[in-house]
Amino acid sequence: MSDIVERTLTALPGLFLQSQPGGGPAAAKTPFSSRLGGLVRGVTALSSKHEEEKLIQQELSSLKATVSAPTTTLKMMKECMVRLMYCEMLGYDASFGYIHAIKLAQQGNLLEKRVGYLAVSLFLHESHELLLLLVNTVVKDLQSTNLVEVCMALTIVSQIFPREMIPAVLPLIEDKLQHSKEIIRRKAVLALYKFHLIAPNQVQHIHIKFRKALCDRDVGVMAASLHIYLRMIKENSSGYKDLTGSFVTILKQVVGGKLPVDFNYHSVPAPWLQIQLLRILGLLGKDDQRTSELMYDVLDESLRRAELNHNVTYAILFECVHTVYSIYPKSELLEKAAKCIGKFVLSPKINLKYLGLKALTCVVQQDPSLALQHQMTIIECLDHPDPIIKRETLELLYRITNSQNVTVIVQKMLEYLHQSKEEYIIVNLVGKIAELAEKYAPDNVWFIQTMNAVFSVGGDVMHPDIPSNFLRLLAEGFDDEMEEQQLRLYAVQSYLSLLDMENVFYPQKFLQVMSWVLGEYSYLLDTEKPEDVIKRLYKLLMSDSISSETKAWLIAAVTKLTAQAQASDTVERVIQEFTVSLDTCIRQHTFELKHLRENVEVMKSLLPVNKSCEDMVVDASLSFLDGYVAEGLSQGAAPYKPHHQRQEEKLSQEKVLNFEPYGLSFSSSGFTGRQSPAGISLGSDISGNSAEAGLKETNSLKLEGVKKLWGKEGYLPQKESAAGDGAEAPPLPPEVSPSENIDQAAAKRTQAQVLAPSKEEKEKQLLASSLFVGLGSESTVSLLGKPDVISHKFRRKSKVKAAKSGEAASTHNLTCSSLNSLSHVAYEENDYLTALQDGEDTESKDLPLGPELSDSESLSELPLAEKVSDCSLSALSLFADSDMEIFQPPSSAAASLTRDIASASCFLEETAGDMCSGRMEVCSDETVSVSSYKLWKDDCLLMVWSVTSKSGSQLKGADLDIFPAQNFKISEQRGCCLPVMEAGSTKNFQYSLQMEKPFTEENLSGFVNYQMVDTHSVQLEFSVNLSLLDFIRPLKISTEDFGKLWLSFANDVKQNIKISEPQAALPSALKMLQQKLRLHVVDIQGNEGLLACRLLPSTSSLLHCRVHADGLALWFRSSCPALPDYLSYQCQKVMMVGPGI
Amino acid sequence: MQFMLLFSRRGKLRLQKWYVPLSDKEKKKITRELVQTVLARKPKMCSFLEWRDLKIVYRRYASLYFCCAIEDQDNELITLEIIHRYVELLDKCFGSVCELDIFNFEKAYFILDEFLLGGEVQETSKKNVLKAIEQADLLQEEAETPRSVLEEIGLT
């Protein structure tokens, strides 16, 4: 490939010259060194953007000519690149120079090469196609004997490198980890860090080398390796607990000033290193008392040492506080950390104050009293001139909101909201206000008014969940029927008065909410007739500022109200106006309205009052159209084909070459007529609620989602407090506005307050008492968990709860029955075991297994298949090959071995069709030996550990336990403690494993406890390595299903593997994948193969292989983002070493 | 770290380094918005900014603004010190940072790359960073000299 690239590169200038004659040579003659200075000065001197643009464009065209001229030397090219970098920084397009940057990196001397690499790193991004041209240069420079060249190559790799080319450089970089120069080792570690970020599976095999880097004698290399560890521990902290001691030791050394003085920064020892270590410790100690205990001392020391009054010590303190609060709590440390937070909060320096607030926000849920301590400072920050401080304060207040202070806090948030212009802040704040309002609203009026503010400000940018949650709350109602009706009534009244205001414009989303509420609940009004409401809606409909989506909502509301109004002129006018609308959706709704009006009975049954939560029975199969369809077909009409089928047919007709590998599978799926539910047109669904159905059509409408949430099965109440809260927050009379309400609350407290110094002070005190109410000792707060004092005004209706509990009960039943069956199985197995331990005629039991196993089809897909059938014929042969070397009991235990084998084959028998691995000894001492093997069951991984006594003496109470692991769900398969182990006997322990979180490789460890007759008990630890492959099972699906699944998966990875004689290789390659990776071969068509597998319990992944001239193209897809990467890595591994290819 | 921007009081960009892949359009938009926001801040205000879902840490040295974007859980104070360390390094190499030595625009990048790599602090010892830069400079000059001589006598 390198030849081709080089030829391309040398040919390029000539090509450019042909297309662009003139300009080049003249520009090339001018001295280059001063050109950039001139350009910069020129640009700086200019005052208008327009002039700048002119100058830069001029510069760019001269550069374009120069870089493409054949006479341009590399030295000149270097100057050009610097100027191009400058132009590109100012925002002008310099893409014509990209290829020359790559060329410069390839061909230049050191100085030029360095600029070339820099230009590449600034110009290109990770997936830029030109980057591929750089790969060869990087490979060459990595092998260079010149240190500077190696450094440059490592630097560029750590910044940008194409993910798919990592294998090309990986071995070279791995070598560099052993380089004698620390700068090279350090850069190599960072390059591997980069690879870990973009393709974690490709570097997982070098994890052990990272450990070496962590122990490097050079501080810089060690520090660099911490970046990788921080990242890996963030992803999976349980895998690195054993390193806690090392991290603590390193931190101790750093804090104790044991590092070279070079690493001091303003006389603080290696602050960056300290912070990195503190963050790692915080992650490791989270919810883990044993690990946390290891770090208490060093954290205490860090808090104590950081006394210097410099920014950097505060940075360390802040990280310390963070760590102390994230690990398993220790009261002494927490006290000290709280004091530290105090220092931050009270600091006159604004940066520290901000961090103090940030720290408070983090810890306030664990320790609300801290907020109480600093309440006056918090009040001051609330009116701080710097909006950032204000916002952080609001964030803090948001965390301490309860039903008593909600009105004040929400008011403060609304004030800030009205001043904000940035969309991100608005969306964020509006969401929080809506959440607080729904959770803690003290009364209806306040709730509706707050939501009005949310809708008016948040308008069209807010999260769509907000209006749909609000409508859901209104529609479903809550426990108190009276309250519920009052809330609806107040909402209607409030909206009508909002609509009566002249010249006020509301966001479309707000109008949509209004129109839905008015349509549903106007009937509650005593004072106004439906006709009056319709008039207001009509006015809106005729307004220019209304989007057609909102119009659809409005017409839906009018339709609902028409059912209640008798004869209405306004409706007549709506019909006249909109039956000629150009918008088909609106026109359709209007026609529906028109026809419904002609039949009042149908209309009333279709649009019942206050029934929005009830499901309608809809004839989804459209059977009433059968006659019509039959008639059509008999007259020669073509049968209906669903959309995708039509598309497929069109495609297959158009294309000669079909590049979509699964395209054809659809045409055989044979969907015809109305069988496909997707084929039902909603528009003709006349028996449905026309308003609802119509609304569904306007594309971005949320009512579809709303409707779904209302359904009995879909809706889940978020959090329900057990205690009734009606008593806690008595509704205020609707006349009282929120501000009065606050004043009242505050006034009450003033009476209790003694002597306030000044008026301003007094106001602040008032505010404080209303803000921090409910934070004191009366609220139940646990140190570890979040305070759980949520009280809802709007408790969801109990019928939902009943439904839920019914569901829960049935699940419970289910679990019970499955438990029953499980224990039943366990019982049977136990019998088996006893039978075996008698040691009688195991051979004869095993023999009938043979034929059963060998003709079982599923077995042929699993690795080691041959081994199993072997072993069923002659149990000994299982251990006759490789495993024998590992498992070597002393000769006195020969009998036990036989028995062992017998029981092993017993497991094979009970899991006929499942595969097992060879037996491995995991640990042993002079008396016992523990071995284990894996059984790849269809629904889980079964780990079997056998504890075998080697000596003649007796063992007491052998017991085996597995340490809990984060990524697995481990369940023991049977009771496992035998009171006395007979000498030489074997005890088996079975654990079934399920993967909780995908990982690539994990250690599972545990220990065996046994007691000798005359001595104390002995403990033996062991661990086994599990890989993701242990959880991969074949997925048996049809080609059609494959096609459907393929289209539904979003994550894909493509990989090319070079193999010799590709044409002949497909069958053997597929066989290899089938055996080694447990993939199921779905189909083979010509030079393409389809395979499928699933990751336990139920994540599926698909693979498409195609043979082409020089290799095999693999294409993975899955619903899980990490899986394709991992499988691709495994495939590559298998194919590279695979014999016969 | 997500990216680093250096710009003048007048809003002219002096240096930019992106550690996350973004399109040119996004980069331009972010730069424009950030330069505006930061320049509008008053001197007594906090050096941190919340901007979209990122934290911006900035500091002014003479007429030059240094501005870094970090993630929410990163340490703001230590980021300020990263800026300061970079300024110290520039000072050592150029004498004065207030107006970046514009003739050595690329050198400012080389220094940055020796200090921060892929968005992470690569080397915290000032001595080591300077050593790496000097070493590279020295080797380069050696490599360059014979070449220019050859050029002068017209052998290339």
Side-chain angles (χ1 to χ4, degrees):
Chain A
M1 174 161 143
S2 80
D3 288 348
I4 300 169
V5 175
E6 265 161 39
R7 253 180 282 143
T8 319
L9 286 175
T10 36
L12 268 172
L15 289 173
F16 280 128
L17 194 73
Q18 279 167 11
S19 60
Q20 276 216 334
K29 276 186 191 122
T30 37
F32 275 91
S33 46
S34 64
R35 292 290 299 265
L36 175 72
L39 178 64
V40 176
R41 251 180 267 123
V43 169
T44 319
L46 295 175
S47 50
S48 80
K49 185 84 191 159
H50 180 69
E51 283 174 306
E52 180 194 296
E53 201 175 318
K54 228 172 91 184
L55 183 74
I56 300 284
Q57 290 302 354
Q58 220 176 352
E59 177 75 18
L60 281 174
S61 55
S62 121
L63 279 170
K64 197 169 185 174
T66 315
V67 293
S68 47
T71 50
T72 308
T73 61
L74 288 170
K75 195 179 167 198
M76 282 149 77
M77 193 65 92
K78 190 195 96 187
E79 299 298 336
C80 290
M81 279 306 139
V82 176
R83 278 189 288 152
L84 274 177
M85 281 170 353
Y86 187 78
C87 293
E88 178 119 327
M89 185 177 73
L90 293 182
Y92 298 89
D93 176 48
S95 51
F96 64 86
Y98 294 176
I99 185 75
H100 297 284
I102 290 176
K103 205 174 127 187
L104 193 63
Q106 188 182 49
Q107 298 172 346
N109 64 16
L110 279 175
L111 188 56
E112 291 146 12
K113 189 185 264 297
R114 198 182 188 193
V115 172
Y117 271 131
L118 175 64
V120 169
S121 78
L122 292 173
F123 288 156
L124 304 185
H125 56 84
E126 242 152 34
S127 42
H128 200 289
E129 50 193 352
L130 283 180
L131 205 53
L132 288 173
L133 299 180
L134 193 73
V135 174
N136 269 315
T137 314
V138 170
V139 170
K140 217 172 72 194
D141 286 339
L142 280 175
Q143 290 163 318
S144 163
T145 49
N146 186 331
L147 279 187
V148 179
E149 277 182 349
V150 180
C151 276
M152 283 192 272
L154 286 172
T155 304
I156 193 81
V157 168
S158 317
Q159 298 184 65
I160 44 168
F161 199 74
R163 200 174 73 152
E164 63 273 25
M165 295 310 285
I166 289 176
V169 292
L170 193 55
L172 290 170
I173 291 174
E174 273 180 62
D175 282 348
K176 297 285 178 272
L177 288 174
Q178 272 100 44
H179 201 277
S180 60
K181 280 278 180 203
E182 55 279 349
I183 185 171
I184 305 279
R185 293 203 300 275
R186 191 214 305 149
K187 280 180 197 278
V189 169
L190 282 169
L192 292 175
Y193 169 67
K194 174 76 181 177
F195 291 167
H196 178 79
L197 289 183
I198 57 175
N201 295 324
Q202 308 227 29
V203 290
Q204 56 163 333
H205 62 284
I206 35 183
H207 282 189
I208 195 83
K209 291 189 178 160
F210 294 154
R211 289 194 181 221
K212 239 175 134 187
L214 184 65
C215 307
D216 199 284
R217 59 184 184 281
D218 181 71
V219 181
V221 182
M222 183 268 289
S225 75
L226 292 183
H227 295 307
I228 302 182
Y229 276 107
L230 179 63
R231 179 64 56 156
M232 293 195 298
I233 290 170
K234 227 182 237 171
E235 285 153 13
N236 164 27
S237 66
S238 65
Y240 303 92
K241 299 268 183 192
D242 57 321
L243 285 174
T244 314
S246 316
F247 293 128
V248 168
T249 320
I250 298 173
L251 185 56
K252 263 193 190 138
Q253 288 176 359
V254 178
V255 174
K258 300 269 170 22
L259 293 193
V261 199
D262 304 347
F263 289 93
N264 282 9
Y265 176 84
H266 295 259
S267 55
V268 176
W272 283 279
L273 196 52
Q274 287 198 41
I275 284 172
Q276 200 78 351
L277 285 164
L278 285 168
R279 290 182 74 183
I280 290 177
L281 290 183
L283 292 169
L284 284 172
K286 198 166 190 232
D287 303 325
D288 183 343
Q289 188 174 2
R290 233 173 44 174
T291 312
S292 296
E293 276 164 3
L294 297 173
M295 50 185 92
Y296 288 151
D297 279 349
V298 74
L299 288 176
D300 192 56
E301 177 146 355
S302 289
L303 282 174
R304 212 152 30 79
R305 289 256 185 176
E307 274 161 358
L308 264 161
N309 197 13
H310 187 273
N311 245 347
V312 76
T313 47
Y314 281 109
I316 297 172
L317 272 184
F318 182 80
E319 211 58 56
C320 250
V321 168
H322 202 266
T323 306
V324 167
Y325 272 95
S326 25
I327 62 172
Y328 190 88
K330 187 188 183 194
S331 56
E332 263 174 70
L333 279 178
L334 286 176
E335 237 170 71
K336 285 183 186 169
K339 255 189 213 148
C340 264
I341 294 182
K343 262 196 231 169
F344 277 97
V345 175
L346 296 173
S347 165
K349 286 185 182 163
I350 189 162
N351 286 347
L352 299 186
K353 201 179 267 301
Y354 171 82
L355 286 178
L357 289 170
K358 190 181 162 189
L360 270 182
T361 310
C362 286
V363 306
V364 78
Q365 276 167 337
Q366 287 180 38
D367 187 1
S369 64
L370 262 184
L372 272 182
Q373 271 173 37
H374 299 294
Q375 47 176 306
M376 288 322 286
T377 320
I378 296 172
I379 300 289
E380 272 163 25
C381 291
L382 208 48
D383 286 321
H384 202 280
D386 190 343
I388 299 301
I389 299 276
K390 240 182 183 172
R391 199 170 144 203
E392 193 59 42
T393 316
L394 286 179
E395 182 70 37
L396 171 62
L397 291 179
Y398 163 72
R399 305 276 176 106
I400 58 167
T401 308
N402 56 37
S403 55
Q404 297 171 62
N405 59 16
V406 64
T407 48
V408 198
I409 289 178
V410 166
Q411 194 203 4
K412 288 282 166 196
M413 289 170 103
L414 283 173
E415 277 169 23
Y416 189 86
L417 185 64
H418 287 300
Q419 293 162 10
S420 313
K421 284 180 195 73
E422 205 190 306
E423 190 179 310
Y424 187 85
I425 298 182
I426 294 176
V427 171
N428 186 300
L429 216 50
V430 151
K432 283 179 175 155
I433 295 175
E435 185 199 326
L436 292 180
E438 197 182 311
K439 241 187 198 167
Y440 302 114
D443 61 90
N444 289 333
V445 177
W446 182 88
F447 179 63
I448 295 295
Q449 284 183 348
T450 307
M451 289 312 284
N452 285 352
V454 164
F455 291 137
S456 333
V457 182
D460 297 325
V461 294
M462 69 188 162
H463 198 277
D465 276 359
I466 298 174
S468 66
N469 277 344
F470 174 74
L471 292 184
R472 198 179 74 195
L473 182 73
L474 278 185
E476 280 172 352
F478 29 90
D479 281 349
D480 187 341
E481 192 84 19
M482 270 293 285
E483 275 287 296
E484 176 187 310
Q485 294 296 23
Q486 270 180 6
L487 180 68
R488 290 169 181 168
L489 179 61
Y490 185 74
V492 170
Q493 285 169 341
S494 155
Y495 296 157
L496 286 180
S497 61
L498 284 179
L499 288 182
D500 283 343
M501 282 197 268
E502 295 290 332
N503 294 324
V504 186
F505 297 99
Y506 301 103
Q508 303 297 321
K509 284 270 157 56
F510 192 14
L511 289 173
Q512 290 164 12
V513 169
M514 285 188 197
S515 44
W516 190 86
V517 172
L518 291 178
E520 285 289 330
Y521 299 115
S522 286
Y523 75 93
L524 293 168
L525 283 172
D526 302 328
T527 47
E528 303 199 48
K529 293 195 206 95
E531 169 70 13
D532 301 324
V533 181
I534 294 178
K535 271 185 186 148
R536 288 187 179 87
L537 297 175
Y538 176 71
K539 209 177 103 193
L540 273 180
L541 268 173
M542 298 309 289
S543 150
D544 294 333
S545 57
I546 305 293
S547 74
S548 58
E549 186 189 352
T550 311
K551 279 185 185 163
W553 284 78
L554 285 164
I555 292 181
V558 170
T559 313
K560 285 179 204 163
L561 289 172
T562 312
Q564 296 156 33
Q566 305 316 321
S568 161
D569 297 340
T570 326
V571 177
E572 204 65 55
R573 263 185 290 159
V574 170
I575 292 171
Q576 271 177 16
E577 199 77 41
F578 292 98
T579 40
V580 292
S581 165
L582 286 179
D583 188 306
T584 43
C585 175
I586 292 177
R587 202 162 67 231
Q588 187 192 328
H589 294 326
T590 323
F591 270 107
E592 281 169 11
L593 172 61
K594 189 178 165 195
H595 289 291
L596 279 175
R597 242 163 67 94
E598 285 158 14
N599 190 342
V600 180
E601 281 316 302
V602 172
M603 186 160 193
K604 290 216 160 146
S605 65
L606 249 182
L607 302 166
V609 171
N610 192 19
K611 290 278 188 333
S612 62
C613 292
E614 258 123 89
D615 289 334
M616 289 230 170
V617 183
V618 177
D619 182 2
S621 70
L622 304 186
S623 60
F624 53 88
L625 284 176
D626 279 349
Y628 178 76
V629 173
E631 195 185 324
L633 286 173
S634 68
Q635 284 170 7
Y640 174 75
K641 284 174 187 163
H643 178 69
H644 59 86
Q645 193 186 349
R646 268 176 285 156
Q647 212 173 19
E648 280 305 319
E649 283 177 6
K650 214 171 106 196
L651 276 176
S652 57
Q653 280 163 9
E654 275 175 4
K655 274 192 212 160
V656 186
L657 274 173
N658 184 10
F659 293 108
E660 284 290 323
Y662 311 107
L664 284 172
S665 63
F666 281 111
S667 28
S668 59
S669 65
F671 278 136
T672 48
R674 315 179 325 262
Q675 285 163 352
S676 157
I680 299 171
S681 146
L682 281 169
S684 60
D685 188 358
I686 201 76
S687 57
N689 180 337
S690 71
E692 303 268 289
L695 285 170
K696 275 178 193 167
E697 294 232 316
T698 55
N699 39 17
S700 67
L701 267 200
K702 296 299 161 312
L703 202 61
E704 197 174 5
V706 173
K707 175 73 182 160
K708 245 192 229 157
L709 289 163
W710 290 337
K712 277 171 194 150
E713 64 291 339
Y715 166 61
L716 292 162
Q718 289 168 322
K719 263 189 189 173
E720 289 191 311
S721 63
D725 40 23
E728 267 176 49
L732 289 167
E735 294 83 34
V736 186
S737 77
S739 58
E740 276 173 302
N741 178 14
I742 299 157
D743 287 349
Q744 275 183 359
K748 267 184 226 154
R749 271 159 242 283
T750 348
Q751 290 159 7
Q753 217 107 82
V754 217
L755 286 176
S758 71
K759 198 185 162 206
E760 208 178 299
E761 245 347 70
K762 206 163 127 190
E763 272 175 14
K764 282 183 179 169
Q765 298 263 345
L766 280 181
L767 186 56
S769 55
S770 49
L771 276 177
F772 297 97
V773 58
L775 274 185
S777 50
E778 73 265 34
S779 60
T780 47
V781 177
S782 67
L783 202 58
L784 274 173
K786 290 179 186 168
D788 212 2
V789 279
I790 303 152
S791 61
H792 297 265
K793 170 169 175 64
F794 305 121
R795 282 183 58 200
R796 303 294 191 184
K797 242 198 178 95
S798 47
K799 69 168 184 191
V800 187
K801 255 199 315 203
K804 286 304 307 172
S805 62
E807 226 169 84
S810 65
T811 353
H812 182 68
N813 282 342
L814 255 176
T815 348
C816 280
S817 60
S818 64
L819 268 179
N820 278 341
S821 63
L822 248 181
S823 57
H824 183 61
V825 171
Y827 175 72
E828 276 187 353
E829 284 176 356
N830 252 334
D831 273 357
Y832 230 137
L833 196 72
T834 0
L836 269 166
Q837 271 163 349
D838 290 339
E840 300 296 326
D841 53 54
T842 39
E843 293 294 326
S844 64
K845 260 189 184 160
D846 285 340
L847 275 172
L849 193 65
E852 203 186 312
L853 267 176
S854 50
D855 67 16
S856 144
E857 200 228 337
S858 66
L859 260 180
S860 63
E861 299 195 344
L862 298 159
L864 299 161
E866 307 88 329
K867 255 191 186 173
V868 175
S869 39
D870 275 0
C871 101
S872 58
L873 290 172
S874 149
L876 263 168
S877 68
L878 176 65
F879 301 102
D881 40 41
S882 60
D883 301 296
M884 201 60 189
E885 297 145 29
I886 313 158
F887 186 73
Q888 279 176 327
S891 54
S892 67
S896 87
L897 178 63
T898 342
R899 206 169 291 192
D900 220 48
I901 293 155
S903 61
S905 34
C906 143
F907 289 124
L908 288 180
E909 182 174 13
E910 67 192 31
T911 55
D914 291 321
M915 273 311 313
C916 86
S917 72
R919 183 177 289 253
M920 284 252 295
E921 190 182 65
V922 288
C923 68
S924 71
D925 62 5
E926 60 280 0
T927 32
V928 297
S929 134
V930 183
S931 56
S932 80
Y933 59 95
K934 300 170 183 172
L935 258 164
W936 295 290
K937 294 188 85 146
D938 199 38
D939 54 344
C940 68
L941 173 72
L942 196 68
M943 287 296 304
V944 182
W945 278 277
S946 311
V947 182
T948 310
S949 166
K950 300 183 197 170
S951 67
S953 62
Q954 282 201 329
L955 294 174
K956 264 191 199 163
D959 201 355
L960 183 135
D961 225 333
I962 304 297
F963 294 129
Q966 208 176 27
N967 290 334
F968 304 112
K969 202 170 80 196
I970 306 168
S971 45
E972 203 179 327
Q973 289 286 7
R974 71 178 80 191
C976 63
C977 188
L978 282 183
V980 177
M981 262 168 94
E982 228 178 273
S985 78
T986 300
K987 173 80 193 118
N988 285 305
F989 300 91
Q990 288 184 39
Y991 286 87
S992 86
L993 295 175
Q994 284 283 12
M995 196 159 57
E996 298 255 272
K997 214 171 78 194
F999 57 87
T1000 47
E1001 224 153 272
E1002 275 274 315
N1003 264 322
L1004 187 69
S1005 42
F1007 59 88
V1008 174
N1009 248 329
Y1010 66 91
Q1011 207 164 13
M1012 304 290 292
V1013 180
D1014 45 351
T1015 54
H1016 52 88
S1017 71
V1018 183
Q1019 187 167 327
L1020 267 180
E1021 288 204 16
F1022 60 85
S1023 77
V1024 287
N1025 197 11
L1026 296 177
S1027 102
L1028 189 95
L1029 268 193
D1030 290 324
F1031 296 89
I1032 295 279
R1033 300 289 177 275
L1035 176 67
K1036 284 171 201 162
I1037 49 172
S1038 64
T1039 315
E1040 281 85 45
D1041 290 337
F1042 188 97
K1044 271 181 243 162
L1045 275 179
W1046 183 266
L1047 293 176
S1048 69
F1049 289 162
N1051 308 294
D1052 67 348
V1053 162
K1054 291 182 192 175
Q1055 174 92 45
N1056 260 311
I1057 294 181
K1058 278 190 186 164
I1059 45 176
S1060 54
E1061 288 182 69
Q1063 295 307 328
L1066 187 67
S1068 62
L1070 293 184
K1071 202 175 144 206
M1072 175 114 53
L1073 293 174
Q1074 188 181 49
Q1075 288 182 351
K1076 296 265 166 90
L1077 303 184
R1078 301 190 189 92
L1079 306 180
H1080 170 72
V1081 178
V1082 178
D1083 204 354
I1084 303 176
Q1085 288 174 354
N1087 58 354
E1088 295 174 39
L1090 310 179
L1091 297 104
C1093 69
R1094 76 195 152 93
L1095 175 64
L1096 289 177
S1098 59
T1099 317
S1100 17
S1101 182
L1102 308 176
L1103 164 62
H1104 167 251
C1105 330
R1106 193 166 54 83
V1107 172
H1108 55 79
D1110 43 42
L1112 194 61
L1114 301 177
W1115 188 359
F1116 297 87
R1117 275 200 182 181
S1118 169
S1119 52
C1120 163
L1123 201 53
D1125 252 341
Y1126 181 79
L1127 286 174
S1128 129
Y1129 170 73
Q1130 292 292 343
C1131 281
Q1132 221 180 326
K1133 233 169 69 177
V1134 168
M1135 300 292 215
M1136 292 302 183
V1137 297
I1141 296 184
Chain B
M1 192 181 293
Q2 311 255 321
F3 56 85
M4 187 188 235
L5 300 174
L6 264 68
F7 50 88
S8 71
R9 204 178 36 188
R10 295 171 58 197
K12 286 260 189 299
L13 208 54
R14 288 270 180 249
L15 187 141
Q16 57 169 351
K17 189 85 192 179
W18 300 83
Y19 298 111
V20 283
L22 288 172
S23 73
D24 286 346
K25 213 173 131 197
E26 276 172 299
K27 284 183 193 172
K28 269 188 211 167
K29 190 168 170 251
I30 292 173
T31 313
R32 203 175 47 237
E33 280 181 33
L34 263 186
V35 169
Q36 251 174 27
T37 323
V38 170
L39 287 178
R41 308 255 312 156
K42 297 190 184 75
K44 283 280 164 61
M45 286 184 169
C46 171
S47 311
F48 316 128
L49 263 184
E50 276 163 50
W51 189 77
R52 300 204 197 156
D53 52 347
L54 294 177
K55 273 273 162 59
I56 307 296
V57 178
Y58 71 93
R59 193 175 232 182
R60 185 178 160 178
Y61 289 86
S63 65
L64 205 56
Y65 283 85
F66 288 70
C67 176
C68 294
I70 54 173
E71 275 157 57
D72 194 47
Q73 67 268 27
D74 289 336
N75 191 316
E76 289 92 346
L77 280 177
I78 202 72
T79 312
L80 268 184
E81 299 313 309
I82 289 180
I83 293 178
H84 190 72
R85 175 42 71 85
Y86 183 45
V87 172
E88 282 178 359
L89 289 168
L90 289 174
D91 253 347
K92 260 270 184 313
C93 296
F94 292 134
S96 160
V97 207
C98 52
E99 263 302 312
L100 259 188
D101 192 332
I102 44 184
F103 306 103
N104 244 328
F105 170 66
E106 71 271 27
K107 192 163 178 188
Y109 278 111
F110 294 145
I111 297 169
L112 185 62
D113 283 348
E114 285 304 320
F115 175 46
L116 293 176
L117 194 51
E120 303 287 353
V121 175
Q122 181 193 173
E123 178 58 75
T124 61
S125 151
K126 190 150 91 181
K127 203 180 89 188
N128 288 357
V129 177
L130 291 172
K131 210 167 75 190
I133 294 164
E134 278 162 23
Q135 195 181 26
D137 282 354
L138 212 67
L139 278 166
Q140 274 173 359
E141 275 156 27
E142 278 168 17
E144 201 182 348
T145 335
R147 194 183 182 99
S148 48
V149 171
L150 285 179
E151 263 175 336
E152 269 167 35
I153 51 173
L155 280 180
T156 47

